[in-house]
Amino acid sequence: MSKITCVDISEFQQNIDFNKMKNDGIKAVIIRAGYGRETSQKDTMFESHYRNAKEAGLKIGAYWYSYADSVDDAEKEAKACLECVENKYFDMPIYYDLEDNSIVKLGKAKLTEIAERFCETIKKSNYRAGVYANLNWFNNYLDYDKLKKKYSIWLAQYNFSNELKCDIWQNSSTGKINGYGGNIDTNVIYNDNIFGKSETKVKKPTLTYRVFADGKWYNEVKGLSNVAGRKKQAISAVAVKVSKGNIKYRVHLLNGDWLPWVDGYDINDSNNGYAGIKGKVIDAIQVEFSGVGDYKATYRVRKQRAGFWDWQHNTEKDSSQDGYAGLFGNKIDGLQITLT
C-alpha cells in the first residue's frame, strides 16, 4: 500500500489536532471551502481548519462541492468559492468535487463542460484548479482524458490500488489518523508537483503607526519609510493601524507589566486607541497581524542611545525570537513595523 500523507476534511470533522496529524506522517490537508453557488454555503469550519492547519505547518488545498446543472451555474459556484477563499494562499489546487447523483442525467459532455467552466473561472484568479470524482464518474460521466490534459486529477477509489492515473488518490473514507478520533478520508499523493503556492498575489495592506515620546505624538510612519521616534527620547505609547486585515498590539512598561491588547487607532482614546500610558516609559512591544494572505507583522525596536534589536514576526517564538521586540529593563526610542 502506498504511503498516506494527505487527508481531506470539512465541517463534519471537528476537534482535530493538526500537530498530532503532522507527527503521524500527514503533510497535507485538503479543506472543503463550501458547496453550491451561494457564499452563505461556505463551510462553517473552513476558516478555523485553514488557520489551524497552517499553524501546524501542513500543506493546504481546498475543494468545492458542486450541484451545478449548467455551465452558468458552474461559474457561479466558482465565483462563490473564490469569494470564500479570498486572500488565502494554497499549496495545492482548488478542486471541483463532482459526485452528486442529481446531475448525472446531464450526460458526459455537459458535465465535462461544467467542470471546465468552474476550473477556468478559478484559474482566472490565478489559482490552480483540479477535478475530484470517483472512478465511476471519471469512467462514465466525465471526459477523463480531456480534463487530465488541463487540470489536476483527484481520484476517489476505495480499493487496494487506483485504476486511473491521478495526482491524488483518495483510498478510504474510514481512515484512522492520530489527531482525530473518528473516520477520516485518507489520500495518497502521487505527484509532488501539485505542491507550490497558488500564483495569486495578495496586495500587501498598508500599515501605519506612530509613537508618543517627549510629551507629544510623533508623525505617522507607513511601513519602513522611516523610523517612528527620535533618538534619545524614550517612547511611552504606540498607535498602529492597517488598511486591511486584523491587527492587535500591546506594550510592556519599564519595570512593570504588559498592558492589555488594543486593536484601535485613535490617539484621543486611551482605552483602545493606542497602547501605553503617556509619561510611563515602555521597554517592549508585541504586534500580531492576520487575515490577509500569509502576511505577518514584522517589527523591531531601537534601544535608547544604541541600535536596533533583531526583527520579530508576530508573536512567534523560536531560537531567534522571543515573542516580542525589546528587552525588559531597557528603554526604547525607535520603532519600525512592516508586513512580510
Side-chain angles (χ1 to χ4, degrees):
M1 175 68 72
S2 300
K3 185 174 177 59
I4 293 167
T5 58
C6 175
V7 296
D8 58 275
I9 57 175
S10 70
E11 62 191 32
F12 300 112
Q13 289 79 42
Q14 301 187 20
N15 300 314
I16 298 174
D17 188 326
F18 290 95
N19 288 303
K20 285 186 177 179
M21 278 191 175
K22 185 177 181 181
N23 292 334
D24 199 28
I26 298 301
K27 70 176 183 179
V29 58
I30 307 174
I31 307 168
R32 188 177 76 160
Y35 58 94
R37 62 185 186 183
E38 304 293 338
T39 55
S40 61
Q41 294 168 295
K42 181 177 181 177
D43 190 290
T44 58
M45 292 293 292
F46 173 73
E47 292 292 337
S48 60
H49 280 337
Y50 179 91
R51 180 178 63 254
N52 293 334
K54 197 164 195 64
E55 288 177 354
L58 294 169
K59 302 287 189 182
I60 299 176
Y63 74 94
W64 192 267
Y65 189 97
S66 175
Y67 293 104
D69 59 8
S70 68
V71 291
D72 288 341
D73 248 5
E75 184 168 337
K76 290 177 182 176
E77 290 190 335
K79 289 180 177 179
C81 175
L82 289 169
E83 189 170 342
C84 289
V85 304
E86 184 180 14
N87 293 323
K88 295 289 191 299
Y89 275 128
F90 294 108
D91 307 285
M92 305 163 72
I94 296 175
Y95 289 92
Y96 198 31
D97 182 345
L98 289 159
E99 59 180 290
D100 199 270
N101 287 331
S102 67
I103 57 175
V104 295
K105 62 182 181 294
L106 298 174
K108 179 180 287 191
K110 180 60 68 176
L111 287 170
T112 300
E113 286 182 40
I114 285 172
E116 289 176 304
R117 178 64 66 87
F118 178 92
C119 290
E120 290 304 312
T121 306
I122 292 295
K123 288 172 64 177
K124 285 178 182 178
S125 290
N126 293 322
Y127 288 102
R128 290 170 297 135
V131 177
Y132 166 95
N134 59 41
L135 182 65
N136 180 43
W137 267 71
F138 276 128
N139 281 338
N140 299 301
Y141 303 117
L142 292 169
D143 189 330
Y144 164 81
D145 291 327
K146 186 176 184 179
L147 295 174
K148 186 177 179 300
K149 290 178 181 178
K150 297 192 288 183
Y151 314 115
S152 177
I153 296 296
W154 179 13
L155 169 69
Q157 184 181 4
Y158 305 152
N159 206 335
F160 289 105
S161 63
N162 54 298
E163 296 179 38
L164 291 176
K165 188 173 181 180
C166 56
D167 296 315
I168 307 174
W169 168 39
Q170 186 185 79
N171 68 331
S172 176
S173 62
T174 57
K176 301 293 183 183
I177 299 291
N178 285 341
Y180 183 67
N183 293 331
I184 197 166
D185 294 345
T186 55
N187 300 268
V188 174
I189 296 172
Y190 287 122
N191 181 12
D192 282 339
N193 290 330
I194 63 170
F195 294 126
K197 292 265 187 175
S198 54
E199 297 174 4
T200 188
K201 294 182 179 179
V202 181
K203 184 179 180 181
K204 182 190 294 188
T206 301
L207 194 148
T208 305
Y209 54 102
R210 63 195 309 186
V211 301
F212 185 89
D214 193 27
K216 63 182 179 183
W217 283 101
Y218 282 71
N219 291 336
E220 290 183 338
V221 174
K222 294 185 184 297
L224 300 181
S225 62
N226 208 335
V227 177
R230 183 179 176 185
K231 287 185 177 180
K232 302 181 182 180
Q233 302 298 329
I235 295 170
S236 59
V238 175
V240 186
K241 68 177 179 179
V242 70
S243 61
K244 190 173 183 179
N246 308 306
I247 196 138
K248 65 177 183 178
Y249 55 101
R250 66 175 181 170
V251 297
H252 187 272
L253 296 180
L254 181 71
N255 301 319
D257 299 314
W258 285 104
L259 295 180
W261 290 97
V262 299
D263 57 16
Y265 185 86
D266 183 348
I267 60 175
N268 296 310
D269 178 4
S270 60
N271 290 319
N272 193 47
Y274 58 87
I277 300 173
K278 293 177 180 178
K280 291 193 175 183
V281 176
I282 67 173
D283 56 14
I285 181 173
Q286 287 185 306
V287 186
E288 186 81 27
F289 175 81
S290 64
V292 178
D294 286 338
Y295 288 115
K296 300 176 183 179
T298 299
Y299 55 104
R300 64 178 183 170
V301 297
R302 184 175 61 201
K303 180 181 178 181
Q304 189 181 38
R305 302 176 186 273
F308 277 97
W309 279 300
D310 290 339
W311 292 99
Q312 176 71 39
H313 303 286
N314 276 353
T315 51
E316 297 174 355
K317 294 183 180 181
D318 56 32
S319 60
S320 63
Q321 300 182 99
D322 49 21
Y324 59 88
L327 182 64
F328 294 165
N330 291 264
K331 298 178 182 179
I332 58 178
D333 64 12
L335 170 67
Q336 285 190 306
I337 317 175
T338 187
L339 298 177
T340 58

